[in-house]
Amino acid sequence: MMYLKDLGFDDKTIEIIEKELPENALSALKSEKETVSTNISCLIELGVENYVDAFLRFYNMFLLDTATFDEIFSKYDREDLIAKLEKNVAIMEYL
């Protein structure tokens, strides 16, 4: 999971992920690191500053293929989406 460090995750957060997530989820996140990295980068490029919080709550969304992930976020107004995610990351569940 150290690839997350290159994406701005700190050691403590990575440690929490490794302790809290089920083994099958960790395995998927490790085997799909390119997809996960691309999807996290998508949020970073959009300007979502609380992308780590989004990942912690909805890690399974980051396993979606990159085209589907991008499609979910590109159908919304960028500024509005960023503002809503920063106010309440839980809205990702409804996107």
Side-chain angles (χ1 to χ4, degrees):
M1 298 297 297
M2 293 313 291
Y3 70 92
L4 294 174
K5 203 167 188 175
D6 294 334
L7 295 163
F9 288 67
D10 61 32
D11 291 329
K12 181 136 180 99
T13 302
I14 294 169
E15 188 177 308
I16 290 168
I17 291 167
E18 290 175 338
K19 285 183 180 178
E20 301 289 325
L21 295 185
E23 189 58 42
N24 62 341
L26 285 174
S27 179
L29 291 170
K30 289 175 184 175
S31 67
E32 296 294 328
K33 75 179 191 177
E34 285 184 40
T35 299
V36 174
S37 295
T38 301
N39 289 340
I40 291 171
S41 295
C42 175
L43 287 188
I44 293 170
E45 290 169 15
L46 274 173
V48 177
E49 293 182 13
N50 59 339
Y51 64 91
V52 173
D53 294 332
F55 182 82
L56 290 172
R57 276 195 81 173
F58 302 104
Y59 62 88
N60 56 335
M61 277 187 79
F62 291 85
L63 291 167
L64 294 171
D65 70 83
T66 56
T68 301
F69 189 88
D70 186 52
E71 189 177 297
I72 289 169
F73 293 95
S74 65
K75 64 184 172 184
Y76 298 98
D77 176 72
R78 180 178 180 218
E79 298 303 318
D80 187 45
L81 177 64
I82 292 169
K84 287 182 177 169
L85 285 171
E86 287 180 358
K87 187 174 183 180
N88 183 7
V89 75
I91 69 160
M92 278 185 66
E93 184 175 359
Y94 304 104
L95 298 179

